[in-house]
Amino acid sequence: MAGRRGAVVVYTAAVLAYLAAVVHRTALGVAGVEAIDRFELSATGLASFSVVQLAVYAALQIPAGQLLDRFGARVLVAGGSLVMAVGQALLAWADDVPTAIVARVLIGAGDAGIFISACRLVAEWFPPRQVPVLVQLTGLIGQSGQIVSALGVAWLLHARGWGVTFGTLAVVGVLVAAAAWAGVRSPAPTTPAEAIASAARARFLHAVRDAARPAGTRLGFWSHFVAPFSANVVALLWGVPFFVTAQGRTPGEASLLLSVLTASAMVAGPVVGRWTARHPLRRSWSVLASAVTTLAAWVWLLVPDTPRPLGQLVVFCVVVGAGGPVSLVGIDFARTSTAADRLGTATGFVNTGGFTSSIVGILAVGVVLQVASPPGATTYSLDAYRLAFAVLLVPWLVGVVGVLRNRRLARADMAEAGTVVPPIREVLRRRRG
């Protein structure tokens, strides 16, 4: 299998697996109310379901990157899809919290290597000029998995119940694993075999240090940290309970709002990809612009102490949803800052950023909701949500500071290598001239 046709087959198999992975990842987000009833959960207990999954995902990013460098994308994509299928089958059967937690661990572990494998395959099979756009296209197709969850999984859950829904997801996972094993291949390596073997034998901490040493890779980490966590907090757990119980929306309207959030990400993805490809020296602009507009959207939503009109909630979801594809600019920073034999580890390191901030955000919201509400409460007031969501300012500030600091360091490294990023006023002066 070679040439353009081979690249399309490989990419199709990989992106199908990533689409399914996002469905697995987000299915609990539309089942939050049912999970509270089934497992008799508090806000912190419900948050722990998503936090455990994301913590496992984030913790395994760098090990998954090393496995990717050593064994290739086929093993990680097919194996990860199968592990997630086992997790969903266990969740379909679970009726107690410990069993459900084990299921979420399996889902997070299986999910860990799939996106970074897809990004690696794009870099291996396609010309460099197409890589930023195709990475965004990968993210776009994956984001449609949230629509599948918001509409398809939600419909099946309400029509057939918990067991049938998550059992069906398990069957889908097995089919996707088979398709990935049949379709995913890596091209002939361009890196010498002995260099790859040496990288594979490197000690874990040594490999991580080497992969994270370039300032550009660290800039990628902080870009991935600050851009997507607001959307993840809404889509993965707290959006549906907030819209239904605090904003007075119906479950159908809540599903619509999650679909708007996903559609916004799908529309923004190609725009961000084209900007990244055409303006590689200005990639951080999209990250900072997304951070500022996301903060403005949260302030606009949380300052009023009454439920917001549906139109305002739609605008909020549009703005927050666009942050998801902006996080993939961080993956592009890793690609352009890292040697090929360490790209898997570096991509895993960068991909840890957004899920670290998402874990912090989801757990912090749950903790504040429980502290701000009467003991034993399972639904929470608008004021409690306003206070809880305000805590998201902390990871936002940490992320913005990280981007600004490492952008300065990365530009200093680029200047030493002979690439100077001119001030924007100089660029505008040249254009006027």
Side-chain angles (χ1 to χ4, degrees), residues 61-85:
Q61 281 302 290
I62 295 173
Q66 291 191 299
L67 292 174
L68 175 59
D69 290 336
R70 183 168 187 176
F71 296 109
R74 185 189 191 198
V75 171
L76 264 72
V77 174
S81 298
L82 192 59
V83 170
M84 283 191 290

Side-chain angles (χ1 to χ4, degrees), residues 211-222 330 333-334 337-338 346-347 349-350:
R213 179 178 291 123
T217 303
R218 298 196 302 275
L219 174 58
F221 172 90
W222 288 111
F333 280 126
S337 305
T338 309
T347 304
F349 169 72
V350 168

Side-chain angles (χ1 to χ4, degrees), residues 286-311:
S286 59
V287 176
L288 294 171
S290 173
V292 171
T293 54
T294 298
L295 177 63
W298 277 115
V299 171
W300 188 41
L301 177 69
L302 298 180
V303 167
D305 60 358
T306 56
R308 298 292 83 206
L310 182 61

Side-chain angles (χ1 to χ4, degrees), residues 177-189:
W181 187 258
V184 171
R185 295 289 188 277
S186 293

Side-chain angles (χ1 to χ4, degrees), residues 18-398:
Y18 181 52
L19 169 65
V22 174
V23 176
H24 289 309
R25 184 191 305 168
T26 59
L28 187 64
V30 300
V33 176
E34 289 78 5
I36 289 174
D37 293 337
R38 183 180 181 89
F39 301 107
E40 299 180 352
L41 298 172
S42 64
T44 304
L46 180 60
S48 69
F49 274 30
S50 290
V51 166
V52 165
Q53 177 192 338
L54 293 178
V56 171
Y57 179 99
L60 291 181
Q61 281 302 290
I62 295 173
Q66 291 191 299
L67 292 174
L68 175 59
D69 290 336
R70 183 168 187 176
F71 296 109
R74 185 189 191 198
V75 171
L76 264 72
V77 174
S81 298
L82 192 59
V83 170
M84 283 191 290
V86 174
Q88 294 290 29
L90 186 59
L91 190 62
W93 170 77
D95 58 5
D96 61 87
V97 171
T99 304
I101 290 292
V102 172
R104 301 304 289 176
V105 167
L106 291 173
I107 294 169
D111 191 11
I114 292 182
F115 178 68
I116 62 174
S117 297
C119 292
R120 174 68 166 264
L121 289 167
V122 168
E124 289 177 338
W125 282 95
F126 294 91
R129 70 181 183 279
Q130 297 179 5
V131 170
V133 175
L134 285 173
V135 168
Q136 287 291 345
L137 179 62
T138 303
L140 184 155
I141 296 172
Q143 289 294 330
S144 66
Q146 294 190 25
I147 294 180
V148 175
S149 291
L151 300 179
V153 174
W155 173 83
L156 187 60
L157 181 67
H158 296 141
R160 301 300 301 274
W162 183 278
V164 171
T165 299
F166 289 98
T168 300
L169 290 174
V171 173
V172 170
V174 172
L175 296 176
V176 168
W181 187 258
V184 171
R185 295 289 188 277
S186 293
T190 57
T191 303
E194 59 271 17
I196 296 176
S198 175
R201 291 192 299 267
R203 290 181 302 172
F204 176 79
L205 293 178
H206 179 74
V208 174
R209 184 187 61 199
D210 287 347
R213 179 178 291 123
T217 303
R218 298 196 302 275
L219 174 58
F221 172 90
W222 288 111
S223 298
H224 202 279
F225 182 99
V226 75
F229 74 86
S230 288
N232 286 340
V233 167
V234 173
L236 295 181
L237 190 62
W238 292 117
V240 170
F242 171 67
F243 294 138
V244 172
T245 63
Q247 293 290 334
R249 297 296 159 186
T250 66
E253 289 173 330
S255 294
L256 171 65
L257 289 168
L258 291 188
S259 299
V260 168
L261 186 147
T262 304
S264 172
M266 296 174 68
V267 171
V271 177
V272 175
R274 287 180 62 85
W275 171 270
T276 302
R278 294 182 61 182
H279 304 283
L281 299 182
R282 305 292 177 184
R283 288 173 288 183
S284 61
W285 282 25
S286 59
V287 176
L288 294 171
S290 173
V292 171
T293 54
T294 298
L295 177 63
W298 277 115
V299 171
W300 188 41
L301 177 69
L302 298 180
V303 167
D305 60 358
T306 56
R308 298 292 83 206
L310 182 61
Q312 182 174 343
L313 297 177
V314 168
V315 173
F316 168 78
C317 289
V318 168
V319 175
V320 170
V326 174
S327 69
L328 301 186
V329 174
I331 303 295
D332 201 57
F333 280 126
R335 177 184 66 86
T336 56
S337 305
T338 309
D341 61 310
R342 294 194 297 269
L343 183 56
T345 304
T347 304
F349 169 72
V350 168
N351 206 36
T352 303
F355 291 92
T356 300
S357 58
S358 297
I359 290 167
V360 171
I362 289 172
L363 184 58
V365 169
V367 169
V368 175
L369 278 177
Q370 190 162 338
V371 169
S373 302
T378 56
T379 58
Y380 306 98
S381 67
L382 176 57
D383 286 340
Y385 273 108
R386 291 170 66 214
L387 183 61
F389 284 140
V391 177
L392 298 179
L393 180 62
V394 175
W396 184 91
L397 286 171
V398 171

